[in-house]
Amino acid sequence: MTVDFDQYINREQTSCVKFDGRQQYFGTSDVLPLWVADMDFAVPECVTHALQTRINHPVFGYTLYPESLYQAVVDWFVRRHKWKIEREWIVFAPGVVPSLFAAVQAFTKEGEGVIVQSPVYFPFFSAVTTNHRTLFNNPLREVNGRYEIDFEHLEDCAKQGASLLLLCTPHNPVGRVWREDELLRLLDISRRYNLTILSDDIHCDLVYSGVTHTMLGRLSQPGDKIVTTVAPNKSFNIPGLGLSALIIPNLAERNAMKQVFERLHVGNYNPLSMVAFEAAYRDGDEWLDALMIYLEQTRDIAADFIARELPQIKLIKPEATYLLWLDCRALGLNDSALRDFFVKDCKLGMNPGSVFGEGGSGFMRMNIGCRRSVIMEALVSIKENIIHQS
């Protein structure tokens, strides 16, 4: 399939957070928006066609989850991830972030401990703190230019009474794809300390060549308390539609999650969300394959430019996601000054690393899910402004 990912699409004045939220977030609209984790690419034609077909029916009433939607999930994970799941394991949810919050409520009580692994996507922290649980941070370690899990510290957290781990796999923002042996070690700790794991695999389809993503749930055994949250939202650029799925083999954990959503009377019965979700998983393979070729080329070009032209900035090439985790500590700026440098001087809107918790200070997260020319414009701007500063 040939897809023109260099096509310009004007997203301004569409109530788009990434573009129309610049003034509110950065204090100016005069920045290239490389922050919010959605892409500037048109969605696959199969999704557009499915939505248009549904829109041709003039009634949008309360809607059931059709069996074809369940089947699309089952087929996708067999086809793309070699994971055979059962239809009854699937629980649809109003999004991955609501699922994080629901898991904290379902599997812990007020005051109990929840483990997160910083630097990590910031709702992981708020899911714990706003629910009045105790945050146990198990910071990732940077070892020889590669992020690793500190398993000894993780086990100490479990010993101290933490009962839930919020796992990000592939990891946002550092871009690690956890190896199978690392996941098996996590499962061993979970079994010994009766730890529930919420595995956020929303980026599982965005994995670069030479790396294999293993679903934690595929490695689990009966009795393991594993909840996996997935969605086509990042893979196919439909995050605004919101629908996600939980895959929960264990009946007790499945019922616990259902009860939280029922207690809040929270659902996502939007007929358009369902149609887009199903079409993406059913017919989106070729488009996704083309996307990953384009993103990998952009990642490699950006990495080469940074290594050659920006020695003050270091990049560990991500194994997955369309996010670059830029180590800017050699610039010698505190987090406030670093943000000002990129916004006011470089005219770039990126996520400050400090919002991702411990280990994020001095970093910036760059979204490369856009036309390659935009990324090159951003990198040239950084180079010119570093030269000007010196």
Side-chain angles (χ1 to χ4, degrees), residues 89-137:
W89 298 355
I90 302 170
V91 177
F92 288 104
V96 169
V97 172
S99 297
L100 295 176
F101 281 70
V104 170
Q105 294 185 27
F107 305 122
T108 65
K109 299 176 182 177
E110 283 199 15
E112 289 186 344
V114 180
I115 305 168
V116 300
Q117 297 172 313
S118 70
V120 71
Y121 182 45
F122 38 88
F124 278 58
F125 302 108
S126 55
V128 179
T129 57
T130 61
N131 281 303
H132 308 293
R133 271 58 170 178
T134 301
L135 181 68
F136 283 69
N137 190 25

Side-chain angles (χ1 to χ4, degrees), residues 144-246:
N144 298 322
R146 181 181 178 85
Y147 280 94
E148 304 284 352
I149 295 172
D150 186 339
F151 285 101
E152 290 76 17
H153 184 261
L154 173 63
E155 189 160 356
D156 286 341
C157 292
K159 285 179 181 177
Q160 293 174 43
S163 52
L164 173 66
L165 166 65
L166 301 180
L167 177 70
C168 193
T169 173
H171 194 280
N172 170 18
V174 308
R176 263 304 309 276
V177 174
W178 306 118
R179 300 186 310 269
E180 185 169 324
D181 64 295
E182 293 171 307
L183 297 175
L184 288 170
R185 193 168 177 185
L186 281 177
L187 285 172
D188 176 64
I189 292 172
S190 73
R191 289 163 188 154
R192 287 189 286 115
Y193 295 95
N194 196 31
L195 191 68
T196 302
I197 302 178
L198 183 288
S199 182
D200 173 6
D201 288 66
I202 195 170
H203 292 100
C204 67
D205 300 315
L206 300 170
V207 176
Y208 296 113
S209 62
V211 183
T212 299
H213 173 71
T214 302
M215 307 293 295
L216 180 68
R218 185 169 70 82
L219 302 176
S220 65
Q221 299 173 1
D224 288 339
K225 300 193 292 185
I226 309 298
V227 176
T228 305
T229 180
V230 298
N233 301 346
K234 300 295 184 184
S235 310
F236 297 97
N237 205 29
I238 52 173
L241 293 175
L243 183 63
S244 69
L246 297 162

Side-chain angles (χ1 to χ4, degrees), residues 311-370:
Q312 305 89 340
I313 295 176
K314 291 183 170 44
L315 169 69
I316 300 173
K317 285 171 71 170
E319 298 170 333
T321 82
Y322 47 79
L323 306 167
L324 302 185
W325 186 234
L326 304 178
D327 182 351
C328 305
R329 289 174 291 183
L331 293 176
L333 302 173
N334 64 33
D335 288 315
S336 177
L338 186 64
R339 186 179 188 274
D340 284 348
F341 169 70
F342 282 106
V343 171
K344 296 179 180 179
D345 298 333
C346 302
K347 308 293 186 184
L348 302 178
M350 298 189 287
N351 293 102
S354 56
V355 304
F356 298 93
E358 182 180 343
S361 181
F363 288 76
M364 300 292 289
R365 191 187 76 170
M366 174 186 281
N367 179 349
I368 62 169
C370 60

Side-chain angles (χ1 to χ4, degrees), residues 11 29 56 91 186 199 231 259 263 342 356 387:
R11 299 185 65 191
S29 294
N56 286 337
V91 177
L186 281 177
S199 182
Q259 286 169 11
R263 190 161 60 240
F342 282 106
F356 298 93
I387 292 173

Side-chain angles (χ1 to χ4, degrees), residues 279-292:
Y281 273 173
R282 188 184 60 233
D283 300 317
D285 294 76
E286 291 186 12
W287 185 92
L288 180 62
D289 292 341
L291 170 72
M292 291 312 300

Side-chain angles (χ1 to χ4, degrees), residues 1-5 7 9 41-55 235-238 275-288 290-291:
M1 174 181 286
T2 300
V3 183
D4 183 9
F5 292 109
Q7 175 191 8
I9 300 172
F41 308 132
V43 302
E45 186 177 343
C46 62
V47 172
T48 303
H49 176 74
L51 286 168
Q52 289 172 337
T53 300
R54 179 61 185 86
I55 287 170
S235 310
F236 297 97
N237 205 29
I238 52 173
V275 162
F277 188 119
E278 180 179 338
Y281 273 173
R282 188 184 60 233
D283 300 317
D285 294 76
E286 291 186 12
W287 185 92
L288 180 62
L291 170 72

